[in-house]
Amino acid sequence: MAQQLRSRRFETRLDPATDDLITQAAKAAGESRSSFVVRAARQAAEKVISPPMTSQEALAQLLEGLDETELAACPLLRNLRR
C-alpha cells in the first residue's frame, strides 16, 4: 500500500490469542501489525461490498488459477479453458 496521509485512528480490543495470531501473521508477511491489519480489513471490506461475481467470471477465475497438471487431470476443465 502506498504511503498516504493518515488522519484517522481505529482502535480495537483483542483477546490474547487473536493478538498473537495477528502478530505472527504480520511478521510472516514482513509487515507492521498496523499495516497488516489495515490491508486485511480493507481487502475484506472490498470483498463484502463488491458486486457479486457472475458464474462466467467465477469460472474464468477458477480456470486462470489452474496449472497444466491440474488441467491434464480433468479433460472437462481443459475443454472449458479453450
Side-chain angles (χ1 to χ4, degrees), residues 17-80:
T18 300
D19 187 45
D20 291 344
L21 183 62
I22 290 170
T23 299
Q24 290 174 13
K27 186 175 181 179
E31 299 180 63
S32 69
R33 287 167 36 97
S34 293
S35 294
F36 179 84
V37 169
V38 168
R39 181 181 53 76
R42 183 177 180 92
Q43 287 174 343
E46 288 173 346
K47 184 176 180 180
V48 167
I49 64 171
S50 67
M53 202 181 299
T54 67
S55 57
Q56 288 286 74
E57 292 168 331
L59 178 60
Q61 187 176 41
L62 169 70
L63 294 173
E64 284 176 23
L66 297 175
D67 64 26
E68 293 306 316
T69 305
E70 293 165 322
L71 288 171
C74 185
L76 176 61
L77 289 176
R78 189 173 53 246
N79 289 335
L80 286 173

